[in-house]
Amino acid sequence: MTAISSYARALAVATGNAAPTATVRHAHLSARPFVLVPLTLAGEANAPLAAMVGTARDEATLLVVAQPRNRDLRFAFADQLAQIMLPHVLGFAAATEELTNGPRSLDAPQLVVPNPAGVEFVRLFARSTRFRSTEGEYAVAPSVPLLGRWLTFFAERAEIPGSSLMLAVTDLLGLHWATGQSALEDANLAALLGWIDPPPGLPGAAAARLAEDPRHCPPAGPTTDPGFDTEQLAPAIAAYDTAVAATVADTAAPAADPAAGPAGVARAVTRLENLLRTQLQPTWDLVWRALDLLGGLPAGASVPARWETDRARYTGFHTYMVEEGLPQARRDGAVAAARRLNRIEQAQAGYDADRAFDDPLVMAQHRVTGEAFSGTVVAVEWDRRIPNGRGKGRLVTRPLLTVRTEDPVRLTVGAKVVASSRRRQECVIEAIDVPPAGGGLLITLEARSGMGRSAAPAPGTVAEVGESLCYSAVLADGVRSAPMPDTADTPWTHGGPPEPYEPTEKDTAEAWE
């Protein structure tokens, strides 16, 4: 938590409403997001109970697993979800543009869930489906493992900072607003939106307290409220089990028991559907309300470039699925795991830099910590030329700029910085001095790039005296990695070279006992 975010939370407590911590939106929002609101059964490992899915606010589809402990019904649920989701996901591959390195989709699907627990549900549900066999004993529909591979793709992209292919709404809201409650309480979507967008005449704090009552606002899942489980869900599932058992026992004379037969089972399923709709519909509405709020913010300047990367990743995975289609391995090898961690760290550094340069409020957080400073140019030596350090007497253009700032700078000589309005011009701090008259600091910077190829800097490429600039040391290249060995060269200390991945019986085996 930074000083700015702490102040924003204190301000929210004082005013009773959330305080903004961003001036622009730091994620791409699709015109047709695929919204998934899942529920799971308590006491069972990620057993799907129900889900509400769709790409439009008023076109939700409710999927229900009447008995989540029945694995046949679970995979029937997966097949139903696949029939809805896969046409949407695969449809984006139809429209492409030709680039030098091959075709790329013009757009990509976006999966939206209410909270990080929804992301975890997707990850675990993907693992439970992508290895399923479509032949032999316990075979599933062909769409089930295909769905699992695509869900794994989305869950893996959710790990990458700045990616918008899969979004958790509470995380995204928390990135743009600060509330007067704890981070744990912010995981409650209804309470979080209560602070950010309370009903007319009701302070945010009061709206959040009301939203924490599960009778007023059911949890956003995937777990359900224990009181609901005990008082309503358990009897409804028991009624379904009774109807199925009575039907099996009364096949010779179904009219003998009014609860038996297809009609009795259908009534039990309808009861469950109506019950679970009351738990899912409020969260469904909250997700779309949150997307409306986020859509009201202008997109940051770097958002389109990151979405372009997401489009490329989608196109690449779609091509892989068409050409090969093997499920992702259960675990990464040592080299693959190290590369994945490095990608995440580099993406985090790039995302932090993008947010800072896109958004003055985010940059203010770095100014408070001394990683950035804002000031006025008081002197410029624009035609300075020095030896390039490589011999042969060649000179290079290295203008010097002196910036006066009142910010608490914590950077040292030699630090690389970039101005928010001149991101292509890298500068290095040459000196930090206190002016004779006191008051602030004088920071001397050497410009090293972004000035053109001629001996003299191109017009406008070097700041002028009187220009106000904000420099930051939070740069996209802030994370370096040691060279990674080839996978075939994995050292014995890390298990040696892994065997090429092929699905095995162990992957597809199911513990039915």
Side-chain angles (χ1 to χ4, degrees):
M1 184 178 293
T2 66
I4 296 294
S5 61
S6 297
Y7 172 75
R9 285 191 177 275
L11 186 63
V13 172
T15 62
N17 291 303
T21 55
T23 61
V24 297
R25 175 169 31 87
H26 297 286
H28 173 81
L29 289 185
S30 173
R32 291 189 301 142
F34 189 92
V35 176
L36 167 63
V37 181
L39 287 181
T40 58
L41 182 69
E44 291 286 320
N46 214 57
L49 171 64
M52 190 166 278
V53 300
T55 58
R57 186 193 312 265
D58 55 352
E59 296 178 5
T61 299
L62 176 66
L63 305 177
V64 170
V65 183
Q67 177 44 275
R69 297 182 180 87
N70 184 316
R71 304 228 172 171
D72 289 338
L73 295 182
R74 286 194 200 183
F75 291 125
F77 165 86
D79 182 39
Q80 290 177 306
L81 178 59
Q83 298 305 321
I84 299 171
M85 184 175 181
L86 289 180
H88 174 79
V89 170
L90 300 178
F92 287 87
T96 61
E97 59 181 348
E98 285 296 330
L99 301 176
T100 55
N101 58 348
R104 183 174 59 196
S105 299
L106 294 176
D107 202 357
Q110 184 177 68
L111 180 59
V112 177
V113 294
N115 47 37
V119 176
E120 183 66 5
F121 167 84
V122 169
R123 186 185 69 82
L124 292 175
F125 190 62
R127 180 170 175 171
S128 72
T129 53
R130 73 176 185 264
F131 297 113
R132 298 279 69 80
S133 175
T134 59
E135 298 176 351
E137 191 177 16
Y138 309 124
V140 299
S143 63
V144 172
L146 181 59
L147 173 71
R149 292 164 202 177
W150 274 104
L151 289 179
T152 300
F153 166 74
F154 283 108
E156 289 179 344
R157 289 304 298 171
E159 297 178 349
I160 305 299
S163 172
S164 295
L165 283 171
M166 185 174 186
L167 299 175
V169 172
T170 52
D171 281 354
L172 201 54
L173 289 171
L175 197 65
H176 296 79
W177 285 276
T179 69
Q181 60 188 9
S182 69
L184 180 63
E185 291 169 313
D186 281 347
N188 183 325
L189 179 57
L192 182 58
L193 275 174
W195 278 95
I196 298 171
D197 185 34
L202 193 65
R209 282 194 296 271
L210 185 62
E212 289 175 348
D213 185 348
R215 295 169 299 180
H216 180 74
C217 292
T223 57
T224 50
D225 175 60
F228 166 79
D229 290 346
T230 302
E231 298 170 11
Q232 301 181 63
L233 180 61
I237 292 179
Y240 169 81
D241 289 340
T242 299
V244 172
T247 299
V248 173
D250 206 18
T251 51
D257 188 346
V265 174
R267 284 194 295 271
V269 170
T270 299
R271 177 185 174 187
L272 271 168
E273 289 176 345
N274 293 336
L275 189 62
L276 291 169
R277 188 182 297 276
T278 66
Q279 300 298 297
L280 287 165
Q281 188 68 50
T283 300
W284 174 267
D285 295 336
L286 289 174
V287 169
W288 287 99
R289 182 173 145 205
L291 293 176
D292 288 343
L293 285 171
L294 291 162
L297 295 173
S302 62
V303 168
R306 291 198 301 275
W307 183 243
E308 188 174 324
T309 300
D310 282 335
R311 288 164 46 207
R313 296 294 179 269
Y314 164 76
T315 304
F317 186 73
H318 181 270
T319 302
Y320 166 79
M321 291 295 294
V322 170
E323 295 177 353
E324 187 172 2
L326 290 176
Q328 300 91 330
R330 284 186 182 273
R331 298 176 183 85
D332 288 330
V335 174
R339 286 175 177 165
R340 181 197 291 265
L341 179 60
N342 183 245
R343 285 196 302 270
I344 292 173
E345 291 174 341
Q346 290 183 335
Q348 186 66 66
Y351 188 41
D352 290 343
D354 284 344
R355 290 180 58 231
F357 286 116
D358 286 354
D359 195 330
L361 264 180
V362 178
M363 183 66 81
Q365 300 178 17
H366 300 297
R367 289 176 61 188
V368 169
T369 60
E371 296 175 286
F373 61 90
S374 180
T376 303
V377 178
V378 296
V380 177
E381 188 180 341
W382 69 273
D383 57 352
R384 175 175 175 261
R385 290 175 62 78
I386 61 175
N388 65 2
R390 300 176 184 175
K392 299 183 180 181
R394 293 181 179 177
L395 301 178
V396 292
T397 303
R398 292 291 184 265
L400 288 180
L401 301 86
T402 302
V403 178
R404 182 166 189 151
T405 179
E406 301 290 334
D407 288 348
V409 179
R410 299 289 183 268
L411 302 174
T412 59
V413 172
K416 294 180 181 180
V417 294
V418 171
S420 55
S421 58
R422 298 173 182 271
R423 290 196 65 178
R424 295 185 178 182
Q425 185 172 91
E426 183 181 275
C427 297
V428 173
I429 296 178
E430 291 290 310
I432 301 176
D433 302 304
V434 177
L441 296 171
L442 291 176
I443 301 179
T444 302
L445 305 170
E446 181 183 85
R448 294 190 174 181
S449 60
M451 296 171 288
R453 295 181 177 272
S454 60
T461 58
V462 179
E464 300 179 356
V465 173
E467 187 172 341
S468 295
L469 295 171
C470 182
Y471 284 93
S472 173
V474 182
L475 306 178
D477 62 352
V479 174
R480 300 294 184 182
S481 171
M484 298 286 181
D486 189 82
T487 302
D489 298 326
T490 303
W492 66 269
T493 53
H494 292 72
E499 294 292 330
Y501 175 70
E502 292 286 345
T504 65
E505 289 298 324
K506 184 179 180 180
D507 287 333
T508 58
E510 181 68 57
W512 293 100
E513 277 125 34

